Amino acid sequence: MAALLVLLPMASAWADTELNRANQAELEMLKGVGPDLSGRILAERERGPFKDWRDFESRVPGIGPVRAAKLSSAGLRINGATSPAQAPRPASTPASTPASAN
């Protein structure tokens, strides 16, 4: 039982974070979100929930498609959706072989 209590906070780090419901501490658990950004997000959210990623990008200063994609990759969701700009994970490429000296 004690082991579960230790692992419980770690499980939340792997869970998605819904932008329209997250508090400041939950936002700041995301890579790339500190006190300044979480404060700007929460201040803007007081005006109303974010409709989608485009709405988020237009309302929060400093958020554009690239940063939105990074936040989405870190687990941020808006109404359950990932950022349309979220880059797909790169496929592993085979190691290159040196050219032969023939």
Side-chain angles (χ1 to χ4, degrees), residues 19 32-45 47 50 53-65 67-68 71:
L19 184 64
V33 178
D36 181 58
L37 180 55
S38 65
R40 284 184 280 144
I41 290 169
L42 294 173
E44 190 57 40
R45 194 175 74 189
R47 297 180 58 217
F50 295 100
W53 285 93
R54 179 171 283 156
D55 185 39
F56 175 55
E57 292 172 24
S58 69
R59 290 172 50 192
V60 179
I63 300 294
R67 192 158 188 195
L71 293 172

Side-chain angles (χ1 to χ4, degrees), residues 8 10-11 26 50 59 73:
L8 187 59
M10 292 172 49
E26 291 167 332
F50 295 100
R59 290 172 50 192
S73 294

Side-chain angles (χ1 to χ4, degrees), residues 7-101:
L7 294 176
L8 187 59
M10 292 172 49
S12 65
W14 295 313
D16 292 340
T17 301
E18 178 55 49
L19 184 64
N20 286 317
R21 290 191 303 258
N23 61 33
Q24 185 166 3
E26 291 167 332
L27 289 171
E28 290 178 16
M29 288 177 60
L30 294 168
K31 182 178 180 179
V33 178
D36 181 58
L37 180 55
S38 65
R40 284 184 280 144
I41 290 169
L42 294 173
E44 190 57 40
R45 194 175 74 189
E46 286 180 12
R47 297 180 58 217
F50 295 100
K51 297 175 193 150
D52 53 29
W53 285 93
R54 179 171 283 156
D55 185 39
F56 175 55
E57 292 172 24
S58 69
R59 290 172 50 192
V60 179
I63 300 294
V66 172
R67 192 158 188 195
K70 288 178 182 178
L71 293 172
S72 182
S73 294
L76 189 63
R77 301 292 178 262
I78 300 178
N79 300 321
T82 59
S83 169
Q86 183 176 345
R89 296 179 191 259
S92 60
T93 57
S96 60
T97 55
S100 63

